[in-house]
């Protein structure tokens, strides 16, 4: 049978293969990357236009605009589209910063200010800024020296370094006190510049201290006339980082909300993708490779954008006048995927792309095993596996005749043809059972046997609410909550355990207290042999964020894959000295 082609966007990483397997030509494998798109496929133009209009308002000067969305919600794409829009306007200078990627994580505040100054110096070479910018950079440099000495990073061996800690007047070139006023004068004298716009991305990926340092740079030093900031971040995560940084004062939770409101004058939230928008998004992703000419694909995108601007829905309708339109099979498949994903996922562009990648890979695996099954059937079964794992296990464990009989009762109940739910399945699976395609006569037995032997490829695409709850409790400082979650997670399917373990590993990169989540990871590894290598690799990747307690948990785990980390930690030079010492002591014992 012919499988629908799996197509990716122009920026995606395509793997095109013409292979023979079992005498059959393999379908083309296309994968999507996580990079922000340079083309608006989701109707972000209205957000971009709103932000651009706000930046043109003279009543908002200076201003900081916050673009709020969860992980994978399109924030980086919006910043890219906004930068393109502003670059077309005269008098605007746009700088895009990513504090998460700064080499100097010790002084993020200084790095933010330094990036802005260097950009001005580079892009206005004829404005005589050299001496003035050098003076401001000197102030930042000496501030770094003072901070390094205060934190024990430098040893004061010369009189010049000792003087770095000596208070100075605002006029002194080594004082940071006069930075803001000098910076404001520089911008006012820079006639070609009407608005300096600094786009800050991935702030919610930074450690709490880096988040606070970036916000402090905005509030204390760079918030002057002609300057605007656009912060793209998950507001809740930024608020949590502020609270962590202020915990030592006892005012963390109390002031985090007020602090962020003081910084951000104009908050905007990206809308959650509806099922209709998700269907259009998936259709456009699938259509890009199928469309015979790039210009025809561009016209398809423009058609969707125009209907969106006119408030018409669905956005991919009335396409008869276009030189090319996606076929009914592609549109129907995209609709079924969108319906299934919207019921159980965050609906973010990234989670959709990741599901499509997992679907493409799973389809390829099935082909390699000679399994003849429609790609849309695989997609529906993957949604069941990912969102209702126990129901999937029930279906996979039945013989063909029993499976067909259950599917008949299950689908009849889902579609309202029968009032009673089958005892074998969950109430939450009703919408899935009602969706197309019909599985009763589909040859799904060989695929189910294959899928049951695999660790879910879609588990990492996005977390379900239950997985999120487990991840939160497993990292909790509360022993009862953590212990209960540990008992529940090791009783869950391996796919759930893998997704949660990966979430904990990612969380370790932003937590200041990692012992509790490491303890939970060790607990999972102790009880689930299949995940030991993955967890060991993850702990090594986040070694910079481990605390000495992690070494104790690893040492006492009796898990060979984890204990193999001890000699590596004992020799590592990029971790906390106390952690290295703890590993050395464990090896000595």
């Amino acid at each position: 049978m012919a499988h629908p082609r799996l197509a990716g966007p122009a920026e995606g990483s395509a793997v095109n293969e013409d292979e023979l397997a079992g005498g059959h030509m393999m379908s083309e494998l296309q994968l999507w990357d996580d990079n922000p798109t340079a083309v608006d496929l989701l109707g972000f133009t209205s957000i971009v236009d709103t932000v651009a209009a706000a930046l043109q308002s003279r009543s908002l000067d200076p201003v900081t605009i916050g673009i709020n969305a969860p992980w994978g919600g399109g924030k980086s794409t919006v910043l890219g589209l906004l930068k393109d829009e502003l670059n077309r306007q005269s008098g605007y200078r746009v700088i895009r910063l990513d504090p998460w990627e700064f080499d100097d994580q010790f002084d993020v505040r200084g790095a933010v200010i330094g990036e802005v100054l260097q950009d001005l110096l580079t892009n206005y070479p004829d404005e005589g800024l050299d001496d003035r910018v050098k003076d401001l950079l000197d102030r930042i440099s000496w501030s770094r020296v003072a901070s390094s000495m205060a934190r024990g990073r430098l040893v004061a061996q010369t009189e010049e370094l000792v003087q770095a800690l000596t208070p100075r007047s605002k006029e002194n070139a080594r004082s940071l006190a006069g930075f803001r006023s000098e910076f404001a004068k520089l911008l006012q004298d820079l006639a070609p510049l009407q608005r300096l716009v600094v786009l800050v991305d991935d702030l919610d990926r930074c450690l709490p201290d880096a988040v606070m340092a970036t916000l402090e740079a905005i509030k204390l030093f760079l918030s002057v006339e002609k300057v605007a900031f656009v912060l793209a971040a998950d507001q809740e995560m930024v608020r949590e980082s502020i609270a962590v940084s202020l915990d030592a004062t006892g005012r963390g939770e109390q002031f985090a909300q007020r602090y962020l409101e003081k910084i951000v004058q104009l908050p905007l939230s990206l809308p959650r993708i509806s099922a209709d928008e998700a269907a259009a998004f998936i259709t456009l992703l699938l259509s890009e490779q199928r469309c015979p000419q790039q210009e025809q694909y561009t016209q398809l995108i423009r058609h969707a954008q125009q209907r969106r601007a006119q408030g018409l829905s669905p956005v991919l309708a009335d396409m008869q006048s276009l030189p090319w339109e996606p076929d009914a099979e592609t549109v129907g498949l995209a609709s079924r995927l969108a319906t299934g994903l919207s019921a159980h996922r965050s609906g973010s562009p990234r989670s959709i792309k990741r599901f499509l990648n997992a679907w493409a890979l799973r389809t390829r695996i099935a082909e390699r095993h000679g399994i003849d099954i429609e790609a849309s059937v695989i997609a529906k079964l993957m949604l069941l596996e990912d969102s209702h794992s126990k129901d999937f296990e029930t279906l996979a464990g039945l013989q063909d005749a029993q499976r067909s009989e259950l599917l008949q009762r299950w689908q009849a109940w889902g579609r309202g043809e029968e009032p009673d739910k089958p005892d074998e399945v969950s109430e939450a699976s009703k919408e899935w059972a009602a969706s197309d395609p019909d599985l009763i006569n589909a040859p799904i037995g060989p695929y189910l046997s294959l899928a049951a032997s695999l660790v879910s490829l879609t588990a990492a695409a996005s977390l379900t609410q239950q997985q999120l709850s487990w991840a939160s409790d497993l990292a909790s400082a509360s022993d009862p909550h953590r212990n209960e979650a540990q008992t529940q997670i090791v009783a869950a399917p391996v796919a759930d355990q893998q997704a949660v373990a990966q979430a904990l590993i990612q969380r370790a990169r932003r937590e200041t207290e990692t012992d509790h989540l490491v303890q939970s990871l060790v607990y999972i590894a102790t009880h689930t042999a299949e995940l030991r290598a993955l967890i060991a690799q993850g702990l090594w990747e986040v070694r910079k964020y481990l605390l000495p307690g992690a070494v104790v948990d690893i040492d006492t785990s009796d898990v060979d894959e984890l204990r193999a980390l001890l000699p590596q930690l004992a020799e590592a030079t990029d971790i906390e000295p106390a952690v290295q010492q703890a590993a050395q002591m464990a090896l000595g014992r």
Side-chain angles (χ1 to χ4, degrees):
M1 58 161 280
H3 297 277
R5 292 180 66 199
L6 303 177
E11 66 189 21
S13 55
V15 183
N16 300 319
E17 301 180 4
D18 288 320
E19 301 178 3
L20 289 174
H24 298 286
M25 183 68 71
M26 301 295 287
S27 68
E28 185 179 19
L29 176 63
Q30 299 283 342
L31 302 177
W32 290 263
D33 61 29
D34 279 347
N35 296 333
T37 178
V39 180
D40 183 17
L41 302 181
L42 282 164
F44 289 144
T45 301
S46 59
I47 298 291
V48 172
D49 290 345
T50 300
V51 175
L55 294 174
Q56 293 171 351
S57 173
R58 292 304 172 191
S59 62
L60 296 174
D61 190 14
V63 65
T64 299
I65 300 172
I67 297 178
N68 175 48
W71 173 89
K75 300 183 294 295
S76 297
T77 292
V78 169
L79 286 190
L81 296 172
L82 178 62
K83 184 176 182 180
D84 291 342
E85 173 65 24
L86 296 177
N87 281 338
R88 290 192 284 267
Q89 302 184 25
S90 62
Y92 279 69
R93 178 60 201 161
V94 184
I95 305 172
R96 186 162 181 169
L97 301 181
D98 191 338
W100 186 67
E101 295 182 349
F102 284 172
D103 292 333
D104 188 359
Q105 286 293 309
F106 171 64
D107 183 21
V108 173
R109 184 187 71 177
V112 169
I113 299 173
E115 290 273 347
V116 172
L117 292 173
Q118 290 288 3
D119 186 273
L120 292 175
L121 188 61
T122 300
N123 288 280
Y124 296 94
D126 301 326
E127 297 300 321
L129 300 181
D130 295 51
D131 291 339
R132 299 176 70 177
V133 170
K134 183 179 181 301
D135 171 71
L136 294 174
L137 286 172
D138 283 344
R139 293 173 186 261
I140 298 299
S141 299
W142 280 100
S143 172
R144 289 186 175 192
V145 171
S147 297
S148 296
M149 292 179 65
R151 298 191 182 196
R153 290 292 191 97
L154 293 176
V155 179
Q157 296 177 336
T158 68
E159 181 180 353
E160 189 175 36
L161 289 179
V162 173
Q163 291 176 354
L165 292 176
T166 305
R168 297 180 176 83
S169 67
K170 292 183 179 180
E171 292 74 22
N172 191 293
R174 293 181 178 178
S175 168
L176 197 57
F179 176 92
R180 190 179 184 208
S181 59
E182 290 299 319
F183 180 64
K185 291 177 184 176
L186 182 149
L187 293 184
Q188 290 303 319
D189 294 341
L190 192 56
L193 178 67
Q194 297 180 24
R195 188 71 122 168
L196 174 64
V197 182
V198 183
L199 310 178
V200 182
D201 199 5
D202 284 336
L203 190 61
D204 47 8
R205 298 175 70 180
C206 296
L207 293 173
D209 288 347
V211 172
M212 283 298 295
T214 302
L215 296 177
E216 285 294 299
I218 295 171
K219 179 170 69 75
L220 296 177
F221 302 105
L222 301 180
S223 184
V224 300
E225 288 188 4
K226 283 192 174 184
V227 178
F229 281 84
V230 182
L231 308 180
D234 184 332
Q235 211 170 72
E236 289 301 318
M237 297 186 72
V238 172
R239 192 177 293 117
E240 288 177 8
S241 293
I242 297 171
V244 169
S245 293
L246 297 177
D247 272 347
T249 68
R251 305 180 301 171
E253 294 295 335
Q254 183 179 2
F255 283 94
Q257 177 71 31
R258 297 182 193 175
Y259 184 95
L260 192 58
E261 289 178 352
K262 184 72 174 177
I263 296 285
V264 178
Q265 293 92 33
L266 187 60
L268 293 171
S269 292
L270 298 185
R272 184 182 183 276
I273 302 176
S274 66
D276 286 343
E277 281 287 3
F281 181 57
I282 295 171
T283 301
L284 290 172
L285 291 178
L286 295 174
S287 296
E288 199 269 347
Q289 188 69 17
R290 303 182 186 188
C291 188
Q293 297 181 19
Q294 179 61 40
E295 176 57 30
Q296 293 176 351
Y297 181 62
T298 301
Q299 291 181 34
L300 177 65
I301 295 174
R302 191 177 300 124
H303 175 80
Q305 293 171 340
Q306 290 172 349
R307 284 184 59 85
R308 207 179 271 119
Q310 296 169 5
L312 300 176
S313 181
V315 295
L316 287 179
D318 296 331
M319 296 181 285
Q320 299 86 348
S321 61
L322 295 176
W324 182 90
E325 63 178 289
D327 58 32
E329 180 184 24
T330 300
V331 173
L333 177 60
S335 177
R336 290 194 292 271
L337 287 173
T339 300
L341 287 168
S342 65
H344 307 288
R345 295 172 178 272
S346 65
S348 72
R350 183 172 295 161
S351 67
I352 290 173
K353 285 183 177 181
R354 289 197 170 193
F355 181 85
L356 291 177
N357 283 341
W359 173 54
L361 292 171
R362 187 63 71 85
T363 302
R364 172 54 61 90
I365 292 171
E367 288 180 352
R368 285 188 179 277
H369 283 75
I371 297 174
D372 190 20
I373 186 172
E374 292 283 354
S376 60
V377 171
I378 292 179
K380 181 171 179 177
L381 290 172
M382 283 182 63
L383 289 171
L384 180 68
E385 179 184 4
D386 197 30
S387 301
H388 310 291
S389 57
K390 292 190 181 300
D391 294 329
F392 178 83
E393 292 172 0
T394 297
L395 189 66
L398 297 175
Q399 298 297 320
D400 288 344
Q402 296 172 312
R403 185 182 300 123
S404 179
E405 191 272 334
L406 173 60
L407 284 171
Q408 285 182 337
R409 292 186 288 121
W410 199 352
Q411 292 184 180
W413 164 69
R415 295 168 180 173
E417 298 166 0
E418 294 291 342
D420 298 327
K421 176 185 74 66
D423 294 336
E424 302 95 320
V425 302
S426 67
E427 184 72 34
S429 68
K430 185 171 186 177
E431 187 172 0
W432 174 88
S435 66
D436 289 329
D438 190 311
L439 299 182
I440 295 174
N441 296 315
I444 63 176
Y447 172 80
L448 289 174
S449 298
L450 171 65
S453 67
L454 299 173
V455 174
S456 174
L457 294 172
T458 64
S462 66
L463 296 183
T464 65
Q465 190 58 48
Q466 178 61 74
Q467 291 167 350
L468 286 170
S469 177
W470 277 329
S472 177
D473 288 344
L474 289 170
S476 172
S478 168
D479 289 340
H481 286 164
R482 195 169 63 257
N483 293 339
E484 182 179 356
Q486 288 173 355
T487 301
Q488 292 177 0
I489 192 63
V490 297
V494 173
D496 283 335
Q497 295 186 52
Q498 180 185 11
V500 171
Q502 289 172 330
L504 291 176
I505 291 167
Q506 290 298 319
R507 185 165 179 165
R509 300 178 188 276
R510 64 174 78 254
E511 295 284 337
T512 55
E513 168 57 64
T514 58
D515 277 346
H516 301 308
L517 61 84
V518 169
Q519 182 196 53
S520 292
L521 285 168
V522 171
Y523 187 90
I524 294 172
T526 301
H527 290 79
T528 308
E530 297 95 322
L531 298 182
R532 289 172 181 172
L534 180 146
I535 290 174
Q537 178 62 32
L539 289 175
W540 175 249
E541 290 174 357
V542 299
R543 60 190 178 278
K544 295 180 182 179
Y545 311 104
L546 299 182
L547 300 174
V551 175
V552 176
D553 290 327
I554 291 170
D555 185 34
T556 58
S557 67
D558 291 329
V559 175
D560 292 340
E561 290 87 343
L562 297 185
R563 288 181 52 80
L565 294 174
L566 293 175
Q568 299 178 57
L569 292 172
E571 296 180 1
T573 58
D574 58 348
I575 63 176
E576 289 293 328
V579 175
Q580 183 186 42
Q581 184 178 10
Q584 292 169 348
M585 292 177 61
L587 289 175
R589 289 194 298 271

